[in-house]
């Protein structure tokens, strides 16, 4: 997935990166967004230990 950091990000303002994941939760959300033809989406990604999720 492609990630764009906010322009006001203190460490990576406006920077674009790729993010690879095998998270079933994230892949489920991405499939649902695709079904609804709702790309692009603005979401906040959080981490808890090694678990990443959308907020």
């Amino acid at each position: 997935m492609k990630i764009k950091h906010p322009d006001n990000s203190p460490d990576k303002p406006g920077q674009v990166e790729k993010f690879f994941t095998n998270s079933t939760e994230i892949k489920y959300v991405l499939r649902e967004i695709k079904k609804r033809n709702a790309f692009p989406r603005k979401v906040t990604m959080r981490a808890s230990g090694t678990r990443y999720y959308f907020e």
Side-chain angles (χ1 to χ4, degrees):
M1 113 180 74
K2 180 176 151 184
I3 297 172
K4 181 178 185 254
H5 294 271
D7 292 332
N8 62 353
S9 174
D11 54 338
K12 299 179 180 181
Q15 187 173 344
V16 176
E17 299 179 292
K18 289 181 184 178
F19 178 81
F20 296 92
T21 183
N22 197 29
S23 165
T24 54
E25 293 174 56
I26 291 176
K27 291 191 308 186
Y28 170 78
V29 171
L30 292 173
R31 275 193 304 274
E32 289 300 310
I33 292 171
K34 186 175 182 178
K35 280 183 195 174
R36 298 172 190 194
N37 198 26
F39 280 113
R41 299 296 296 176
K42 183 177 180 177
V43 297
T44 301
M45 200 163 152
R46 300 279 184 207
S48 177
T50 58
R51 182 179 163 258
Y52 291 88
Y53 57 95
F54 292 135
E55 200 175 62

